[in-house]
Amino acid sequence: MGWFGRRKGEQEGPADEALPMLTVEQAARFTAAAQRAFAEAGMETVLDGGVLRASEGVLPLHSIATRAAAVPEREWPALLAQHAGVMAPALRGSLDPEPIRDEQVYLRVLERDAIPGGMEVGDDVAGDLVAVLGVDYPDRVETLSGAKAVDKLGGWESVRETGLRNLRALAAEQVKAYALNTGGDLHVSTGGYFHASRLLVLGDVLAADFKLERPRHGVLVAAPNHSLIIVHPIEGLSVLDAMRTLIGMAADQSNGPGGLSDNVFFWRDGVLEQVTRRSEDGGVTVAATGAFGEVLATFG
């Protein structure tokens, strides 16, 4: 399964605290370039962690830094110039807001700490994962987690139903199965920007992507980055081999642009629970409790 990418520890340097998709040195160059781009767009800014602060308001850098991390640094000036050219006049109020159509509205799964400005409106999913509103524009995805912004679109309950409906309409770009040494399979599904957010409609995903209809004992699942879902239908003691493999794959694939979670979860009958915990020293523990513990007990 070499196509899953590089491991942690192969980074070029330590991750930046505010913009972890970049190294500390990259983040320093990126934020300096961002300030230059906004200055050329007529807006002076001050760096404050992962945001730029201007007299007109706050400019989060997390999303544009994620895009920058996926391209060579020589492309950063053009990327940031385009970004500043859109955001600076919008923040000054000289552009009319772009109308948001229903087909642009999705629920987006993120780790709570990755939400610029924090979360006012959204749902808890499992562990540190939450669901907030994501708006799919042609040139970017915008995360809206503030109460005022969501209220303008009809309120959380309304956008939540629209977002879930649009997630159900998404399809995988590629599906593969890999046999485990101890029996059973890992099923891997890849797709677009909101692919991992299909965790919120996992029952539909199991049926559509993997032809798994209501697996009796549930599934282990990992969503390490925004374009990847990995599941193992629990059928016996192969769950131990699957857990070890998923822990490694989650660590590998959460390290890089679009990273989501390096943990493993258990899903059954619409309920998702986190079953691994990672310590600061890199260790991993598995909690054989709750519904997952009940399933393990059936296999002795």
Side-chain angles (χ1 to χ4, degrees):
M1 297 184 214
W3 64 276
F4 280 107
R6 67 184 186 181
R7 295 178 175 272
K8 288 182 186 290
E10 294 181 6
Q11 296 176 334
E12 297 173 357
D16 184 73
E17 183 175 349
L19 300 172
M21 68 290 296
L22 302 173
T23 66
V24 173
E25 293 182 356
Q26 286 176 324
R29 295 193 294 271
F30 172 79
T31 52
Q35 286 185 282
R36 287 195 298 272
F38 277 98
E40 291 171 0
M43 182 172 288
E44 295 299 325
T45 62
V46 175
L47 179 64
D48 182 8
V51 303
L52 295 179
R53 296 190 180 274
S55 58
E56 295 87 349
V58 177
L59 296 154
L61 294 175
H62 193 277
S63 293
I64 190 65
T66 298
R67 293 173 59 191
V71 301
E73 285 195 33
R74 63 178 179 274
E75 297 181 20
W76 288 3
L79 179 68
L80 286 165
Q82 180 187 38
H83 181 68
V86 171
M87 297 303 296
L91 196 60
R92 287 193 294 262
S94 60
L95 290 180
D96 292 331
E98 295 183 56
I100 298 175
R101 303 182 304 276
D102 280 356
E103 59 266 29
Q104 293 176 271
V105 173
Y106 293 87
L107 289 197
R108 183 181 181 191
V109 173
L110 291 170
E111 287 196 315
R112 187 181 298 273
D113 291 344
I115 300 175
M119 183 181 79
E120 294 180 7
V121 180
D123 285 341
D124 291 326
V125 178
D128 295 330
L129 298 182
V130 295
V132 293
L133 173 61
V135 182
D136 189 16
Y137 291 104
D139 62 338
R140 69 189 189 282
V141 171
E142 185 173 335
T143 301
L144 301 179
S145 58
K148 290 183 179 179
V150 173
D151 285 345
K152 289 180 180 179
L153 296 175
W156 175 245
E157 291 303 318
S158 175
V159 299
R160 183 180 186 275
E161 290 306 311
T162 302
L164 289 173
R165 183 172 65 247
N166 288 340
L167 286 178
R168 291 188 181 97
L170 294 177
E173 295 176 1
Q174 187 178 62
V175 177
K176 291 186 177 182
Y178 298 90
L180 295 168
N181 293 331
T182 54
D185 295 314
L186 284 182
H187 299 273
V188 180
S189 174
T190 56
Y193 197 90
F194 292 99
H195 192 71
S197 296
R198 297 169 77 211
L199 279 177
L200 301 173
V201 291
L202 191 57
D204 298 273
V205 173
L206 295 177
D209 292 10
F210 310 124
K211 312 307 178 189
L212 297 172
E213 298 284 351
R214 295 178 61 86
R216 177 183 177 188
H217 299 296
V219 300
L220 292 178
V221 56
N225 62 56
H226 66 68
S227 62
L228 179 63
I229 293 176
I230 313 164
V231 304
H232 169 70
I234 299 175
E235 298 170 350
L237 293 181
S238 63
V239 66
L240 303 178
D241 189 17
M243 177 65 78
R244 285 191 292 268
T245 304
L246 281 169
I247 287 172
M249 292 171 68
D252 287 347
Q253 296 306 300
S254 63
N255 176 35
L260 179 56
S261 175
D262 58 4
N263 280 302
V264 179
F265 300 82
F266 171 72
W267 179 96
R268 185 171 66 172
D269 296 333
V271 179
L272 187 72
E273 61 182 51
Q274 182 175 315
V275 294
T276 62
R277 295 288 186 275
R278 292 184 181 269
S279 60
E280 293 184 359
D281 63 3
V284 180
T285 58
V286 178
T289 57
F292 180 55
E294 293 174 5
V295 168
L296 291 184
T298 65
F299 300 119

